[in-house]
Amino acid sequence: MLKQKHRAWIEVNLLAIKYNVQQLKSLLNPATELMAIVKADAYGHGAVEVSQAVIEAGASWLGVATIPEGIQLRNAGITAPILILGATNAADEVKAIAEYRLQPTICNPKQALIYHEVLSMIGEQVAVHLKIDTGMSRLGVDWQEAITFVKLVQHLPNLEVASLYSHFATADERDRSFMHLQARRFEEVIATLRREGLTPPLLHICNTAAMMDDRQLHYDMVRTGLGLYGLYPASHLKDTVDLQPALTVKARITQVKEITAGTSISYGRSFIAPEDMKMATVAIGYADGIPRGLSNRIRVAVHGQRVRQIGTITMDQCAIDVTDIPDVNIGDTVTFLGGDSGNTADDWANLLNTISWEVLCGFKHRLPRINVTEAIACQQRI
Ligand SMILES: *Cc1c(COP(=O)(O)O)cnc(C)c1O
């Protein structure tokens, strides 16, 4: 088996990702498009394989953060339209976007004019997406200036306006008031444009949380990230659709050792054996994305049984308590997250006072991604 080679790895269940796309699509009108957000290596799941899977399952657009992320997908032969969500301002970036048929986000008049200048020079046309700031205050022109901005860009012959979009700051919160304020601002812009006969082909504002929360906000397309990977943006959105996590983190035992009461484990001696014990060393650490802040706080699975992680998690290795597991051997597999570990990215996020997005993006490239197509518990519901 290929897996035997690896000290630690991530298994990605592409069947779960396809199932999640179908579940999320069930919330949409048939005419509404699903843009799969595959930035940050598809939230740690492997951008190329995930992109191919989501397209097979019915996503029609892809969204990434950076130009290299878009180029990676084009080089893998992916032909779906790709939106770059981040800002791109340099002449070389404009040229790369034209060459690889990527579609940039245009956030202000100055950037639009840079695109105009470079594209006129190289004689290329690019489809662009105009970002309106309705309250996130990250990228985009203020909603009060949107009309002037749209008019400006529509007059630039090398820029073809493909969409107008905005982004919510609080879609995962129970209190919807700010989300609705942002939606009203977006709607005001659209109404004014319609009156002037200037509406762009596509309108979109939803991330996963907003699309789950309010069908009125779907417009022509939704931009779904987290949900594809089987996680809910918030606990109050869990009854919307059934989602299946797709990622499992595993590593191998490299040493098994009997220790006597009083023996300390790892840097700083944060764990001292209260009695005679059996410990195992596992070949995974914080350089792989197991956060050091979880030291002595999680359980992991060995032979289907949950055991304590003990001692400080180091860069490349950590220890577990296998006192109660008979026949533990070098080479045995330990599940840290997903699968039979009993741990979800939400559990770790709660322990670390962060969000599941950050836990998923934290797994490093040192961990090979292995695609598996395991039957999922709810598969019959597809
Ligand atoms: C990352 C991102 C998304 C996806 O957000 P999720 O909450 O993961 O669904 C959507 N839109 C923009 C602009 C983003 O940056």
Side-chain angles (χ1 to χ4, degrees):
M1 280 285 283
L2 179 69
K3 285 176 200 167
Q4 266 337 101
K5 293 194 307 204
H6 302 302
R7 58 179 268 282
W9 67 98
I10 286 180
E11 291 176 7
V12 178
N13 186 356
L14 296 175
L15 218 55
I17 289 178
K18 288 184 180 181
Y19 173 78
N20 296 333
V21 171
Q22 287 162 336
Q23 285 288 303
L24 292 161
K25 275 192 72 130
S26 74
L27 295 172
L28 305 179
N29 280 328
T32 306
E33 309 216 39
L34 191 143
M35 174 184 285
I37 303 298
V38 294
K39 61 191 178 189
D41 202 26
Y43 294 37
H45 293 63
V48 169
E49 293 78 4
V50 167
S51 297
Q52 285 159 346
V54 294
I55 289 165
E56 275 176 38
S60 46
W61 283 72
L62 298 169
V64 296
T66 68
I67 293 170
E69 287 177 349
I71 292 176
Q72 184 197 9
L73 300 180
R74 285 285 179 257
N75 284 341
I78 290 166
T79 56
I82 300 173
L83 168 62
I84 311 281
L85 298 162
T88 47
N89 290 295
D92 283 346
E93 293 181 310
V94 180
K95 287 176 190 164
I97 279 175
E99 182 181 344
Y100 287 92
R101 290 165 294 107
L102 305 171
Q103 305 191 15
T105 296
I106 304 291
C107 311
N108 55 65
K110 195 173 162 190
Q111 186 198 5
L113 293 172
I114 293 170
Y115 267 78
H116 168 67
E117 195 178 316
V118 178
L119 292 172
S120 317
M121 208 164 61
I122 61 175
E124 295 276 357
Q125 242 209 347
V126 160
V128 303
H129 301 258
L130 306 187
K131 186 81 181 273
I132 309 303
D133 183 2
T134 55
M136 174 69 179
S137 307
R138 191 169 65 176
L139 285 180
V141 293
D142 282 351
W143 80 99
Q144 302 101 321
E145 290 152 29
I147 308 299
T148 324
F149 181 51
V150 173
K151 284 181 181 166
L152 168 87
V153 179
Q154 288 193 330
H155 280 108
L156 303 174
N158 304 67
L159 281 68
E160 181 199 327
V161 179
S163 88
L164 186 76
Y165 79 101
S166 192
H167 190 50
F168 288 124
T170 60
D172 54 348
E173 289 178 13
R174 274 176 198 279
D175 180 347
R176 273 93 167 171
S177 47
F178 193 71
M179 180 173 80
H180 288 150
L181 174 65
Q182 286 194 258
R184 276 201 301 281
R185 289 170 174 173
F186 192 57
E187 192 52 47
E188 209 177 286
V189 171
I190 295 161
T192 312
L193 286 173
R194 285 212 170 106
R195 274 200 301 278
E196 305 201 15
L198 290 174
T199 330
L202 290 172
L203 302 167
H204 48 112
I205 192 167
C206 283
N207 54 7
T208 304
M211 83 164 290
M212 285 179 162
D213 193 53
D214 191 346
R215 287 170 191 238
Q216 301 300 317
L217 301 174
H218 289 179
Y219 292 99
D220 304 304
M221 181 156 78
V222 295
R223 304 186 304 270
T224 318
L226 193 72
L228 302 173
Y229 310 105
L231 286 134
Y232 295 88
S235 54
H236 69 275
L237 296 169
K238 280 195 172 156
D239 55 6
T240 48
V241 286
D242 180 55
L243 298 176
Q244 299 288 326
L247 177 146
T248 309
V249 181
K250 296 184 176 176
R252 284 190 196 287
I253 289 175
T254 49
Q255 177 177 290
V256 182
K257 190 174 179 179
E258 307 282 347
I259 56 174
T260 54
T263 304
S264 64
I265 293 178
S266 187
Y267 294 127
R269 311 182 68 211
S270 64
F271 182 88
I272 295 179
E275 61 208 350
D276 292 356
M277 293 176 62
K278 185 169 59 169
M279 64 166 276
T281 303
V282 190
I284 193 167
Y286 62 76
D288 300 293
I290 307 296
R292 184 174 174 279
L294 295 176
S295 298
N296 293 301
R297 300 175 73 192
I298 54 169
R299 286 176 178 268
V300 298
V302 187
H303 297 186
Q305 254 175 282
R306 295 187 85 213
V307 302
R308 288 182 297 171
Q309 187 281 319
I310 49 178
T312 301
I313 295 168
T314 70
M315 190 181 285
D316 319 300
Q317 308 177 67
C318 64
I320 60 174
D321 172 7
V322 290
T323 309
D324 297 329
I325 314 282
D327 300 327
V328 179
N329 288 302
I330 292 171
D332 287 358
T333 300
V334 182
T335 313
F336 279 74
L337 188 74
D340 61 1
S341 73
N343 303 322
T344 65
D346 280 319
D347 296 334
W348 284 13
N350 289 336
L351 286 169
L352 295 164
N353 198 20
T354 182
I355 53 176
S356 57
W357 289 259
E358 190 180 6
V359 171
L360 292 178
C361 294
F363 295 112
K364 304 297 191 292
H365 283 275
R366 192 161 83 178
L367 295 177
R369 267 62 172 176
I370 294 171
N371 296 311
V372 297
T373 43
E374 270 162 27
I376 51 174
C378 297
Q379 207 191 335
Q380 67 277 8
R381 287 170 58 177
I382 290 181

